[in-house]
Amino acid sequence: MEDELGSEKIEDEDVDYSQFEEKFFEEVRKGKDYQHFLSLSSQYDCMLIRSILASMDIPTYIEGDKVNKLYGGVYASVTSDFKIKLYILLDDYDDALEAVEDYLKSKIDSEPSVLDRNKALQILELLLSSSSPSKPRELLGISIIDKKSEV
């Protein structure tokens, strides 16, 4: 099965994330700090970002994917109750943020609904440079959570 860009679609069921989740929990049990990193409106975005992070050996854990599958899926209509929460280890935050930045840039370039790519890229730069929790940090259905202070 292929998507509109001609690349083969990966079904979420085809990827076994259990080993990445087990590694995540193993590290947490050893005392590593973790945090809520992203809130995602789309199962597809979640799957791709998790795959990217897994290829970087960054373990992840998600919550809310079953509820999102039932009720979510469209950027504008998904409330925070139906978003998927993606967690990472705090030590991996900077590398993961860089990967998500690259993913969002790629998505801006390929998303047919993004009419003004330059403006979208400017919003992305502002979003990534903002450390104020009062400013919205969401673009294309992906909300980035600020890095927790290291203890």
Side-chain angles (χ1 to χ4, degrees):
M1 186 185 230
E2 292 189 358
D3 64 11
E4 59 277 354
L5 299 175
S7 56
E8 188 173 327
K9 278 191 174 181
I10 301 169
E11 296 298 324
D12 199 29
E13 294 80 23
D14 294 343
V15 182
D16 179 14
Y17 293 110
S18 62
Q19 61 182 298
F20 304 114
E21 289 180 358
E22 183 55 39
K23 183 176 179 184
F24 174 86
F25 287 116
E26 220 173 88
E27 295 298 320
V28 170
R29 282 190 293 273
K30 290 179 185 175
K32 289 212 174 180
D33 285 332
Y34 67 95
Q35 83 159 70
H36 177 198
F37 173 53
L38 299 175
S39 290
L40 301 127
S41 298
S42 162
Q43 292 272 329
Y44 189 70
D45 285 334
C46 182
M47 178 186 58
L48 290 176
I49 290 171
R50 284 187 91 191
S51 295
I52 292 165
L53 295 177
S55 74
M56 298 171 66
D57 202 29
I58 296 176
T60 59
Y61 171 71
I62 60 170
E63 288 180 350
D65 58 319
K66 304 298 186 238
V67 173
N68 177 274
K69 196 175 273 189
L70 290 172
Y71 298 107
V74 181
Y75 302 146
S77 67
V78 176
T79 69
S80 60
D81 295 337
F82 301 130
K83 287 191 176 185
I84 301 165
K85 292 179 181 178
L86 187 139
Y87 294 85
I88 60 170
L89 300 173
L90 190 57
D91 291 345
D92 293 327
Y93 187 94
D94 295 328
D95 292 335
L97 183 62
E98 191 175 313
V100 169
E101 178 182 1
D102 290 343
Y103 177 79
L104 282 167
K105 285 179 182 176
S106 170
K107 187 169 176 147
I108 288 168
D109 286 340
S110 64
E111 186 78 29
S113 64
V114 178
L115 300 176
D116 189 345
R117 285 170 174 51
N118 289 333
K119 187 172 183 175
L121 288 170
Q122 288 174 349
I123 292 169
L124 175 62
E125 291 305 317
L126 284 172
L127 180 124
L128 293 171
S129 67
S130 170
S131 60
S132 168
S134 63
K135 291 186 179 180
R137 293 179 48 107
E138 180 171 339
L139 184 64
L140 299 174
I142 299 172
S143 299
I144 301 170
I145 312 303
D146 288 328
K147 185 177 184 179
K148 285 190 330 188
S149 299
E150 296 186 51
V151 182

